[in-house]
Amino acid sequence: MSLFERANRIKEFLAEKIDYVPEAAIVLGSGLGEFSNEIQTDDVLHYKDIEGFPVSTVKGHAGKLIFGTVSGKKIVAMSGRFHLYEGYSTDDVTLPVRVFQLMGIKNYIVTNASGAVNITYRPGDLMIMNDHIGFFCPSVLTGNNDERFGTRFPSMSEAYNKDLIRIAECAAENIDINTQKGVYCYCKGPMFETPAEIRAARALGADAVGMSTVPEVVAAVHGNMRVLGISCITNMAAGILNQPLTHAEVMETGKAVEKKFSLFMKEIISLL
Ligand code: HPA
């Protein structure tokens, strides 16, 4: 079955349960799943109960699609996402965004945890993504192009929508939090990077590194969606501090900024 057919079947399954087009689809990254408590829920669907949907394997990724209201706006949130390092295909990783596209959702808001490459950043900072480096990421658009999704050679000149970046900046100001704005560099994972890789990423212009987001963003831009990316800096990247990185550290910082992140996301949604 083609990716289009898979995504379309799921869209039709969801249409039987949900009779509105959400204003935004929001992907909740590592340790940021708590935002789901802020949603006045209409319906929660576990990935395992959606035929054709992949199932998440990472600790801290719940695996459910939550439809409901935040700040008076209808949204759908993905609590738990799929990473290429788990062994999922590029089709599996981009399936949810294709479903959202076919549902007619215009705004794709993606969050993630990342390591700071920029040495002026600090764990707990929230970074508005203004671009990414995807050289190290397999292209999710390889193979025959399905014109029903988008054009063969999509522009990535403005992958992160300027209006949404402005909204995020306004939201940060309204709730009086500082944010960073920078470039996210995809690294394959699941191992953390080496100090030499981090120096290379810095030389290339990266401010943060992480193991997700870029595959989905490429599909969303291909599908003509407006993308906003918010990255939670959970740690200084490899080699900056004289200590090894752990997933526990990533989860701990994610947990510590949950409140700030939730507030920020709610304010962003209210301004959409
Ligand atoms: N590297 C890659 N991915 C990450 C990191 C990191 O330092 N922190 C959180 N996700």
Side-chain angles (χ1 to χ4, degrees):
M1 203 189 309
S2 73
L3 180 60
F4 186 90
E5 282 158 347
R6 271 179 81 189
N8 205 41
R9 278 194 187 193
I10 294 171
K11 180 203 105 175
E12 278 167 12
F13 170 78
L14 295 175
E16 283 169 21
K17 303 184 179 297
I18 304 295
D19 61 359
Y20 54 84
V21 178
E23 196 97 19
I26 303 167
V27 183
L28 305 175
S30 282
L32 300 173
E34 274 298 306
F35 172 75
S36 40
N37 296 335
E38 300 291 338
I39 306 169
Q40 281 169 263
T41 305
D42 294 327
D43 217 332
V44 177
L45 296 165
H46 290 265
Y47 295 166
K48 63 178 170 46
D49 300 325
I50 306 173
E51 203 183 323
F53 218 73
V55 178
S56 182
T57 65
V58 183
K59 228 173 126 183
H61 288 254
K64 44 193 185 178
L65 213 49
I66 306 163
F67 289 88
T69 306
V70 175
S71 307
K73 304 265 167 71
K74 290 293 187 192
I75 58 120
V76 55
M78 269 187 84
S79 181
R81 62 139 65 83
F82 311 108
H83 305 84
L84 292 172
Y85 67 71
E86 293 174 88
Y88 291 114
S89 66
T90 49
D91 274 7
D92 281 339
V93 168
T94 54
L95 179 76
V97 73
R98 293 312 191 179
V99 172
F100 299 144
Q101 178 189 351
L102 295 184
M103 287 171 73
I105 299 175
K106 294 282 176 280
N107 298 308
Y108 184 69
I109 303 178
V110 61
T111 70
N112 59 52
S114 66
V117 172
N118 186 322
I119 58 167
T120 69
Y121 288 8
R122 290 292 171 265
D125 283 355
L126 296 177
M127 182 185 89
I128 300 168
M129 293 169 64
N130 62 4
D131 210 344
H132 72 228
I133 296 172
F135 295 147
F136 311 122
C137 184
S139 171
V140 300
L141 304 180
T142 301
N144 280 337
N145 185 58
D146 195 325
E147 293 284 334
R148 292 170 292 185
F149 283 138
T151 181
R152 171 79 287 187
F153 299 108
S155 167
M156 291 287 144
S157 296
E158 196 191 310
Y160 299 85
N161 183 270
K162 285 208 168 67
D163 294 335
L164 293 182
I165 290 174
R166 232 169 275 130
I167 282 176
E169 286 173 330
C170 273
E173 219 178 288
N174 290 353
I175 60 166
D176 203 19
I177 60 164
N178 286 319
T179 51
Q180 307 286 1
K181 191 160 66 169
V183 174
Y184 175 97
C185 179
Y186 176 92
C187 287
K188 285 195 174 75
M191 63 293 181
F192 288 111
E193 302 72 32
T194 64
E197 286 165 346
I198 294 304
R199 288 194 297 275
R202 189 178 300 120
L204 291 176
D207 295 295
V209 284
M211 307 172 191
S212 68
T213 302
V214 170
E216 301 101 289
V217 167
V218 168
V221 174
H222 180 240
N224 213 18
M225 296 174 86
R226 303 202 306 169
V227 174
L228 175 67
I230 309 290
S231 190
C232 171
I233 306 291
T234 53
N235 56 280
M236 300 310 288
I240 296 178
L241 304 176
N242 195 16
Q243 62 190 48
L245 304 181
T246 62
H247 185 55
E249 180 185 358
V250 171
M251 298 303 282
E252 264 166 43
T253 313
K255 198 109 203 103
V257 298
E258 250 164 22
K259 272 216 171 72
K260 177 167 80 164
F261 167 75
S262 274
L263 215 68
F264 188 34
M265 194 51 74
K266 271 165 47 182
E267 187 64 20
I268 289 171
I269 295 165
S270 78
L271 297 178
L272 283 179

